[in-house]
Amino acid sequence: LLVLAFVFIPNDANAFTIVIDPGHGGKDYGALGVKAREKDINLSVALLLGDMIQNGLNGTKVIYTRNTDKFLSLRERANIANNASGDLFISIHTNSIAKKAKNRKTIAGASVYTLGLHKTTENFEVAKRENAVIELEEDFSTSYSGFDPNSSESYIIFELNQNKHIDQSIEFASAVQDEFIHTANRKDRGVRQAGFLVLAATSMPSILVELDFICNPTQEKYLNS
């Protein structure tokens, strides 16, 4: 799980800033397993990843959107990254599917997302779940210009306003996914695109990682180790 950033950093890493975003936090637990909570897994992985980067790449600066268990809005996360003049944004998440899904306890695998218009229902469901955190904010409709995370019509903005860093984001996402498969031995669920608000608001190459499925007891145990 900790092989995310070593595949894309330039040889001269001085002044290169990586922003690591542990998804969810505080009152927002994220997805839940039998024992584990997504917000805790995301934070643990983020802190270990940051330590690896700083120990292995002298001069690289690591910024965390959160390094404790606290709630942050999606806009606050992006603002932290933008204000730090980040060169790369990595948002870390843990996947899940609906409780009624027949394969809920067997589904497995890692996937890496970049910003884009979802092309499958599955990608849309992931984006809806991750964007739904805005509903925990006061007056979210005004703050996000009427964006409704559950309405497919709202996501047309991601087709009209593609991230200018999309090529670099896809390149990095592909490298990360390759490491998930060949180093972390995760099942390959591919590089995907979907309309994540936190990625849309960052002004740098950015990805959102889904580590594996917390709803699968075997993967939950692994993720929580």
Side-chain angles (χ1 to χ4, degrees):
L1 298 175
L2 302 175
V3 292
L4 298 178
F6 289 97
V7 292
F8 201 70
I9 310 303
N11 292 331
D12 179 10
N14 290 330
F16 193 89
T17 299
I18 299 176
V19 181
I20 302 176
D21 173 45
H24 306 280
K27 62 184 178 181
D28 175 21
Y29 288 10
L32 299 176
V34 175
K35 297 181 179 179
R37 303 180 297 187
E38 179 185 356
K39 67 172 186 174
D40 301 324
I41 292 170
N42 298 345
L43 181 58
S44 295
V45 170
L47 295 176
L48 288 168
L49 172 60
D51 285 344
M52 286 186 68
I53 292 171
Q54 290 180 314
N55 291 334
L57 294 166
N58 292 331
T60 301
K61 185 177 182 180
V62 173
I63 301 292
Y64 300 99
T65 57
R66 68 179 180 97
N67 56 15
T68 60
D69 181 21
K70 67 178 181 180
F71 176 79
L72 289 171
S73 70
L74 298 183
R75 189 176 301 279
E76 287 174 316
R77 295 170 189 272
N79 286 344
I80 290 170
N82 294 333
N83 291 338
S85 299
D87 296 291
L88 185 63
F89 181 82
I90 303 171
S91 190
I92 299 176
H93 290 259
T94 305
N95 218 338
S96 187
I97 56 174
K99 292 182 178 179
K100 294 182 180 180
K102 293 181 179 179
N103 61 334
R104 177 175 169 82
K105 293 187 177 182
T106 58
I107 191 169
S111 52
V112 184
Y113 284 84
T114 63
L115 179 66
L117 187 65
H118 57 272
K119 292 181 172 63
T120 68
T121 300
E122 181 181 0
N123 290 7
F124 183 37
E125 290 302 317
V126 174
K128 283 198 299 183
R129 187 179 70 251
E130 302 299 1
N131 289 334
V133 64
I134 68 173
E135 296 176 340
L136 297 177
E137 303 174 36
E138 294 183 6
D139 198 20
F140 74 87
S141 182
T142 300
S143 299
Y144 294 92
S145 303
F147 181 86
D148 179 356
N150 298 303
S151 169
S152 59
E153 287 78 9
S154 287
Y155 288 81
I156 193 67
I157 62 172
F158 300 114
E159 183 175 32
L160 299 175
N161 185 26
Q162 286 288 313
N163 189 325
K164 65 180 181 180
H165 301 290
I166 190 65
D167 290 340
Q168 290 171 300
S169 299
I170 292 174
E171 181 184 357
F172 179 54
S174 298
V176 171
Q177 186 66 16
D178 187 66
E179 292 294 326
F180 270 132
I181 300 163
H182 297 107
T183 303
N185 297 315
R186 299 295 87 202
K187 181 179 178 181
D188 183 11
R189 295 187 63 82
V191 173
R192 302 164 178 239
Q193 288 184 301
F196 296 101
L197 285 171
V198 72
L199 299 187
T202 56
S203 57
M204 65 209 69
S206 57
I207 63 169
L208 186 145
V209 171
E210 294 285 0
L211 298 167
D212 214 310
F213 286 83
I214 196 173
C215 54
N216 178 330
T218 301
Q219 305 312 319
E220 177 189 6
K221 183 178 180 181
Y222 174 77
L223 290 166
N224 207 37
S225 70

